[in-house]
Amino acid sequence: MTRPAPPSHLATSSTAPEHNNSRPSTSMPPLDAWMHRQQSSGGSNMTAALLAWFEGPPPTLPALRSLARYRLAPYERLRQMPGAADPTEGSWPMWSTGPHFEAAHHIVESPGAATTELEVDIAALFTAPLDPCRPPWQLHLVPTTGGFVLLLRAHHALLDGRSIATLLRALFDETAALRPPRVGGPATADTPSQGRQLSWTLGDLLPKARPLPFHGPVDPYRVLSFRHVPRKELDAARTSLRSAAPAERASTNAVFLAATAGALRNLGVTGRSLPTLPGIYALVPVDVRTSEQSQLLGNHYATVRVPLPQLGDARERLAAVDSFIRRAAIGARARAQADVVSSRPRKITPLSNAAGRYVDSPRYFSLLCSSVSTHAGELALGSARLTAMAAIPPLGPGHPLAVTAIHHGSTSVVTAVTDHNHRDLAQPLAERIHDEIRILAN
């Protein structure tokens, strides 16, 4: 099969970059630097994106650019790009800020896509390199049958998933758009006891994950598969836990993780099941912003490893996942981890390089699983109604598969992302996750 080529107009640098070096540079925070060092090239391709579906007439490109100038220009983060490393800081990467917001470059219209070809077209846009001479983000307007989609993609060093969602909402949620952008660092909360923090830290150092059969080198191309799940199915799956605990209802995150566990089991890609090997663990990103920092851009999250049980009964899997999430105090654990990461000395050392390779390894986590609820009401862009959103994450070294779910309004979208060499996994995995949600709902 021929690999899709990225659009040619995105593969070259602009001759008139909005960025210059006349403004002071600042050191990247640790998570930004982590993502930057992997770069948006080769197998890592550290681009993240969010796709939004609309029913109704698409805006014209000039109208969309004009709206972006009004609503996105106040976000200074969108004018930042990687600058020269500071030799006195051990080649630690820097952010430098350009003076202008240039909508004409960052906001483009891509050729219309038929519904049946949307996954292929979006994968090609997602894979295309970002301009190395500009702040690394781009918004694509793609007309479709009966509506259009917006694809906002950015290097993960610049924006995390919550940041991308914030920027998209700023375009079509006037209340959010008129609120001034927030500034500050990672969220803080009540500090857990020293003993608990120590146990978490020690737990984070241990290899827990079982390498799965598909782990290995990652090529630079991506294959996407989307499955739209009606909210009524997800709600019914959440209440299925009440058969075991009448007063409880599972979280949407627990349903997604339990369904992913069942999908891996039914596809037979769970690796060798031996007592000497650890289990299957999902790496789950957890946002650490406070409510006052809801519009804070950048990377403000931490990750928690959640076991994906391979029990034969779907409800037993859901009960096990939901129980772990409740016991593990995931929010507090993530905030404690974020505090440790943000306070680390900003030096590149052999030890930090070794730690980075370990945390990226299949023995640390089996696959990335990210689930987000927008908690937003009806949203529109002009007369077009937002119907659903999907998250497209980067694939890290050695991990050619990731799955996500975004729950918005009456629809949730499950997304499976693979590299081209593992393209046969994308569609079956997304379908099986939806099937597992149906099983829980019935």
Side-chain angles (χ1 to χ4, degrees):
M1 182 180 294
T2 303
R3 289 177 171 173
S8 58
H9 73 286
L10 296 177
T12 57
S13 302
S14 171
T15 57
E18 66 190 85
H19 163 79
N20 64 40
N21 290 317
S22 62
R23 309 189 73 174
S25 295
T26 58
S27 296
M28 287 187 184
L31 272 178
D32 296 5
W34 179 283
M35 299 298 177
H36 168 68
R37 289 175 63 193
Q38 297 190 54
Q39 295 301 329
S40 276
S41 61
S44 292
N45 191 357
M46 294 304 293
T47 301
L50 192 143
L51 182 68
W53 281 264
F54 291 84
E55 287 182 352
T60 64
L61 184 59
L64 184 59
R65 286 173 172 171
S66 177
L67 184 64
R69 290 187 191 99
Y70 171 58
R71 294 188 173 178
L72 299 186
Y75 293 92
E76 183 179 287
R77 185 79 176 183
L78 296 182
R79 294 185 282 115
Q80 290 186 324
M81 67 172 293
D86 184 352
T88 64
E89 295 294 329
S91 299
W92 191 266
M94 311 288 283
W95 283 122
S96 55
T97 305
H100 306 299
F101 177 87
E102 198 170 79
H105 171 78
H106 290 284
I107 299 165
V108 297
E109 184 170 12
S110 300
T115 302
T116 54
E117 299 293 329
L118 184 63
E119 292 173 344
V120 174
D121 291 344
I122 295 301
L125 289 174
F126 176 70
T127 305
L130 291 160
D131 190 336
C133 295
R134 303 275 180 163
W137 67 274
Q138 199 150 38
L139 176 66
H140 301 265
L141 169 64
V142 185
T144 62
T145 304
F148 62 97
V149 297
L150 292 179
L151 176 71
L152 179 57
R153 64 193 187 102
H155 195 291
H156 208 317
L158 185 75
L159 302 172
D160 63 8
R162 175 70 176 271
S163 301
I164 295 175
T166 293
L167 292 172
L168 267 184
R169 281 196 61 185
L171 283 174
F172 43 76
D173 177 7
E174 190 160 341
T175 301
L178 296 179
R179 202 177 298 135
R182 300 284 182 178
V183 296
T188 59
D190 293 338
T191 304
S193 68
Q194 289 186 347
R196 197 167 196 193
Q197 290 188 66
L198 178 61
S199 68
W200 288 342
T201 301
L202 292 175
D204 283 338
L205 294 175
L206 298 176
K208 291 184 178 180
R210 178 190 304 168
L212 301 182
F214 50 76
H215 283 132
V218 179
D219 70 49
Y221 297 90
R222 299 294 175 259
V223 176
L224 309 177
S225 185
F226 305 115
R227 286 298 174 271
H228 292 245
V229 180
R231 187 71 187 212
K232 62 182 180 180
E233 291 183 4
L234 185 67
D235 287 342
R238 293 181 65 193
T239 59
S240 70
L241 192 62
R242 288 178 175 167
S243 61
E248 299 292 345
R249 186 167 78 146
S251 66
T252 54
N253 194 28
V255 169
F256 169 63
L257 291 170
T260 301
L264 293 173
R265 184 179 190 274
N266 291 330
L267 286 173
V269 289
T270 57
R272 297 175 62 195
S273 181
L274 295 174
T276 55
L277 289 177
I280 299 174
Y281 276 76
L283 191 71
V284 178
V286 179
D287 188 78
V288 295
R289 295 168 176 85
T290 63
S291 58
E292 291 78 16
Q293 296 172 323
S294 60
Q295 292 191 86
L296 178 63
L297 303 187
N299 285 286
H300 302 285
Y301 70 94
T303 54
V304 177
R305 291 180 291 177
V306 177
L308 299 184
Q310 294 304 297
L311 301 168
D313 183 87
R315 284 177 176 79
E316 290 181 0
R317 286 195 297 269
L318 176 58
V321 172
D322 192 69
S323 175
F324 176 86
I325 289 175
R326 294 175 191 275
R327 294 194 320 270
I330 282 182
R333 186 168 186 161
R335 287 188 290 271
Q337 183 189 131
D339 288 341
V340 171
V341 171
S342 63
S343 63
R344 286 176 54 199
R346 296 181 180 180
K347 296 285 186 180
I348 298 173
T349 65
L351 180 59
S352 66
N353 285 334
R357 288 193 295 272
Y358 168 60
V359 171
D360 281 332
S361 73
R363 285 243 177 232
Y364 191 77
F365 71 96
S366 304
L367 78 163
L368 174 73
C369 293
S370 178
S371 173
V372 177
S373 296
T374 66
H375 302 295
E378 290 291 325
L379 300 172
L381 184 58
S383 59
R385 183 175 66 92
L386 174 68
T387 60
M389 291 192 287
I392 309 174
L395 299 178
H399 294 275
L401 169 66
V403 290
T404 68
I406 288 193
H407 317 289
H408 171 75
S410 61
T411 303
S412 298
V413 179
V414 172
T415 305
V417 183
T418 72
D419 70 350
H420 193 263
N421 286 336
H422 298 83
R423 58 192 177 276
D424 293 340
L425 276 175
Q427 181 175 335
L429 185 61
E431 289 176 347
R432 291 298 179 94
I433 292 174
H434 191 183
D435 289 343
E436 289 292 322
I437 294 173
R438 289 196 188 102
I439 290 171
L440 290 168
N442 294 325

